[in-house]
Amino acid sequence: MQYVRGMSQPAKTTPRAGTPTDTPESPAGGRAAAQRLKMRRELAAAAMELFAAKGYEATTVDEIAAAAGVARRTFFRHFRSKEEAIFPDHDDTLVRAEAVLNAAPAHEHPLDTVCRGIKEVMKMYAASPAVSVARYRLTREVPTLREREIASVARYERLFTRYLLGHFDERDHHDGNDDPLLAEVAASAVVTAHNHVLRRWLRAGGKGDVETQLDHAFAIVRRTFGTGIGAGRSTAARTGTEPAPVTASHEGDVLVAVARTDAPLEQVMRTITRALGHEGS
């Protein structure tokens, strides 16, 4: 299974309601983005306080806007509903995660790139532990908010799946080829590992070394999928050819067999049997 660098790029995210149209690289675009995020966070903080005091269902958009000191129309310039108000950073975090993917160095394994990308999500939660814990508790109590959270997670998963699929040789997509399946499963595994660590951290009140816990979880994902994803990619990139999955040679009375880590066991055994002259006996 081989990745090909420099093929299709991950699809760009589609701007959503309230997403700035200024160019991020320009000074004006940077200021606009910062002001937008500041207002979104102020609205989210006001919403969280009201939800805690009055309850989610009893709180209205007008009350949230008034608590933040803005008009109702200002609220709707930033959020389409009060459900969105408690997730102010997901759009911006998705953009940062995509930027990590787009700027990945050529030598980096795509699965490692995805692991770095999703760390942007953890950084978002870890930046405000108290708010993150309160939001987590609220989403456990309100099914509508839980559904909104699931939808947000699905957006990250789609981004990472597209990225991994973009590094497969499209000509190898045919019946019997499991590369697209493996890419999708690997992307899901990275997201699931991240969410497992995140939930454990939130249940602990936002305490503990979440970075170390996340690295441990990603190491498990790499051990599980890393030998299959991109095996032989670096060698092929240097030579322009795909290395043989299994080779065997005699060194006196010793048989030396060299196999790629993704070579099927039955293929390894066939090559060794053939080299020993036992085939057909």
Side-chain angles (χ1 to χ4, degrees), residues 42-279:
E42 289 175 358
L43 287 166
M48 289 294 295
E49 288 182 8
L50 286 168
F51 293 158
K54 297 185 59 176
Y56 172 77
E57 296 295 344
T59 301
T60 67
V61 167
D62 287 335
E63 289 171 332
I64 295 171
V70 300
R72 174 187 174 90
R73 64 178 178 275
T74 300
F75 177 93
F76 283 112
R77 278 205 295 268
H78 294 276
F79 300 109
R80 290 177 293 187
S81 65
K82 68 178 182 179
E83 290 89 350
E84 282 194 356
I86 70 163
F87 301 109
D89 297 340
H90 273 305
D91 287 349
D92 299 275
T93 303
L94 189 67
V95 170
R96 290 199 302 276
E98 186 175 29
V100 170
L101 305 186
N102 289 336
H107 67 272
E108 186 173 50
H109 193 294
L111 189 56
D112 290 332
T113 305
V114 167
C115 289
R116 287 197 303 109
I118 202 170
K119 278 190 173 183
E120 294 298 319
V121 184
M122 185 62 80
K123 290 177 186 176
M124 175 190 73
Y125 283 93
S128 305
V131 173
S132 297
V133 170
R135 183 166 54 196
Y136 173 73
R137 290 171 179 164
L138 188 62
T139 56
R140 302 281 74 74
E141 299 170 0
V142 183
T144 304
L145 298 180
R146 176 61 178 158
E147 291 170 5
R148 174 71 62 180
E149 185 181 43
I150 291 172
S152 296
V153 170
R155 294 170 65 199
Y156 295 113
E157 194 162 329
R158 287 195 297 270
L159 173 68
F160 299 135
T161 299
R162 286 198 302 270
Y163 180 79
L164 289 179
L165 284 173
H167 290 79
F168 282 107
D169 187 342
E170 297 292 341
R171 294 168 297 183
D172 283 343
H173 284 198
H174 52 74
D175 290 343
N177 182 3
D178 293 332
D179 285 4
L181 170 64
L182 183 55
E184 191 164 355
V185 171
S188 298
V190 170
V191 174
T192 300
H194 170 273
N195 292 345
H196 175 85
V197 172
L198 175 60
R199 283 194 301 271
R200 190 167 56 190
W201 179 74
L202 291 170
R203 288 168 183 162
K207 303 192 182 301
D209 187 352
V210 70
E211 182 84 11
T212 298
Q213 296 172 26
L214 198 59
D215 286 339
H216 173 71
F218 287 159
I220 294 173
V221 173
R222 289 189 192 98
R223 284 200 302 270
T224 304
F225 294 100
T227 56
I229 297 181
R233 176 173 56 85
S234 298
T235 303
R238 289 194 302 268
T239 64
T241 60
E242 177 71 12
V246 188
T247 59
S249 62
H250 281 286
E251 299 289 343
D253 293 330
V254 178
L255 174 69
V256 178
V258 179
R260 277 192 2 212
T261 54
D262 66 330
L265 178 59
E266 61 271 18
Q267 188 174 2
V268 175
M269 297 307 298
R270 272 201 311 270
T271 302
I272 293 174
T273 300
R274 217 168 24 240
L276 290 171
H278 295 166
E279 193 168 56

